[in-house]
Amino acid sequence: MLELSRNVAIADHEIELTAIRAQGAGGQHVNKTSTAIHLRFDIRASSLPEYYKERLLALNHHLITGDGVVIIKAQEYRSQELNREAALARLVALIRQAMVVEKTRKATKPSKGAKKRRLENKVRKGATKALRGKVRP
């Protein structure tokens, strides 16, 4: 059971974990052992609340395919167990990221004093630049 919050959890059978061989440098250890973890999580077939599913599917993230499947490959560590924990932590972080609701921006206008200061500053800068011209007798 993967706990997301007090009332929301993902059952173990909904997350498909597969051990695969890692890529990259590492010599004989990497070539002989399956320490990398390939995690697949189908959002639509999960037991998550509908609100969570909608937010996740609307999220434009490189880990989520067009079919609504989250695919995570963890191969940072030399042990399979640490890679499994890293993959699950990344899944939890992705779901929590989707649940964050950003504040709506309220349109504001500059105050009269701010407008006045801006115009005075422009006049001052213009006068300074006007003095930089050629000197005429």
Side-chain angles (χ1 to χ4, degrees):
M1 201 68 133
L2 186 64
E3 298 260 338
L4 297 172
S5 67
R6 249 184 275 138
N7 10 345
V8 180
I10 300 173
D12 291 335
H13 66 87
E14 295 177 6
I15 301 169
E16 181 186 327
L17 294 168
T18 312
I20 58 173
R21 288 193 180 153
Q23 296 175 328
Q28 190 174 4
H29 181 75
V30 166
N31 297 336
K32 288 177 71 176
T33 57
S34 298
T35 56
I37 294 292
H38 196 260
L39 179 145
R40 292 178 65 85
F41 174 69
D42 191 357
I43 297 168
R44 290 189 175 99
S46 70
S47 62
L48 287 174
E50 284 301 315
Y51 176 71
Y52 278 59
K53 290 180 185 180
E54 289 170 13
R55 294 289 305 235
L56 275 169
L57 292 170
L59 194 66
N60 186 17
H61 201 279
H62 70 278
L63 295 176
I64 302 173
T65 65
D67 301 334
V69 178
V70 178
I71 298 175
I72 297 173
K73 184 177 179 184
Q75 61 180 12
E76 301 93 52
Y77 302 102
R78 284 175 61 94
S79 79
Q80 196 179 90
E81 190 56 40
L82 286 175
N83 282 328
R84 180 179 286 113
E85 289 174 15
L88 291 172
R90 283 167 56 190
L91 176 64
V92 169
L94 176 70
I95 295 172
R96 286 191 177 146
Q97 174 191 348
M99 293 307 107
V100 173
V101 180
E102 293 184 16
K103 290 182 187 176
T104 55
R105 185 187 175 280
K106 295 179 200 166
T108 59
K109 293 181 182 177
S111 64
K112 284 185 179 179
K115 286 181 185 177
K116 184 179 176 187
R117 284 190 301 274
R118 182 180 144 266
L119 291 175
E120 287 172 356
N121 191 29
K122 284 175 68 118
V123 169
R124 209 173 314 117
K125 287 275 189 193
T128 303
K129 289 184 177 188
L131 293 173
R132 291 183 189 152
K134 286 188 176 183
V135 179
R136 299 197 179 147

